[in-house]
Amino acid sequence: LFPSQVLQPSSQPDPCGAMTTTARGKAAARRPRSSSRRRKIRAELEAKQKNSKECWDLQQQLLTPGANETLMNAARQMLQPAHYEEIIEERSVEGHCGYPPCKKPAAAVPEGKRWYARYAE
């Protein structure tokens, strides 16, 4: 046999769908350990939950009339537009101006925009 005719192991998948031994070894070498991956996912979930709670707390503070400049700066940094829209809607339902630092009542709340929640026991 000539050297060009000698079969070399390849990392390409087998036509039948099975990977060769070399490809399995390379894939296993690139894959992170499952325990470290789980820790990373858990840490990301905990950070997301903490951020969600902080956003909710900030939204509750912005619902009271007359929010100060510090709260507004925190809102700019933490809240997404959807969070801020929820604040505006909730303030309008309560009859307050939609802008958190404003202490005035809402000019006119359209009848179609009023929501009432009923809780059954």
Side-chain angles (χ1 to χ4, degrees):
L1 292 174
F2 293 101
S4 62
Q5 295 176 334
V6 176
L7 296 176
Q8 298 291 326
S10 96
S11 61
Q12 298 298 322
D14 187 37
C16 299
M19 291 177 60
T20 61
T21 311
T22 1
R24 278 189 212 125
K26 288 180 182 178
R30 282 184 262 136
R31 189 177 319 136
R33 298 183 72 183
S34 62
S35 61
S36 63
R37 185 170 180 218
R38 283 189 197 118
R39 280 194 300 266
K40 182 180 177 184
I41 291 170
R42 186 175 295 125
E44 288 174 1
L45 286 174
E46 288 171 358
K48 187 175 181 180
Q49 289 173 347
K50 180 181 176 188
N51 185 28
S52 177
K53 175 144 178 40
E54 289 174 353
C55 286
W56 189 84
D57 290 339
L58 183 59
Q59 283 178 317
Q60 296 305 309
Q61 292 176 359
L62 289 173
L63 290 177
T64 59
N68 60 21
E69 188 67 28
T70 307
L71 281 175
M72 292 303 291
N73 286 335
R76 282 187 203 104
Q77 293 174 357
M78 289 184 63
L79 299 181
Q80 298 294 320
H83 294 133
Y84 192 73
E85 288 174 11
E86 291 171 358
I87 293 168
I88 294 170
E89 285 181 19
E90 188 70 28
R91 286 178 60 90
S92 69
V93 167
E94 293 177 2
H96 301 298
C97 176
Y99 186 58
C102 183
K103 295 181 181 180
K104 297 178 184 178
V109 180
E111 288 299 319
K113 278 293 214 178
R114 290 184 186 251
W115 295 287
Y116 295 98
R118 295 184 187 188
Y119 298 101
E121 291 185 24

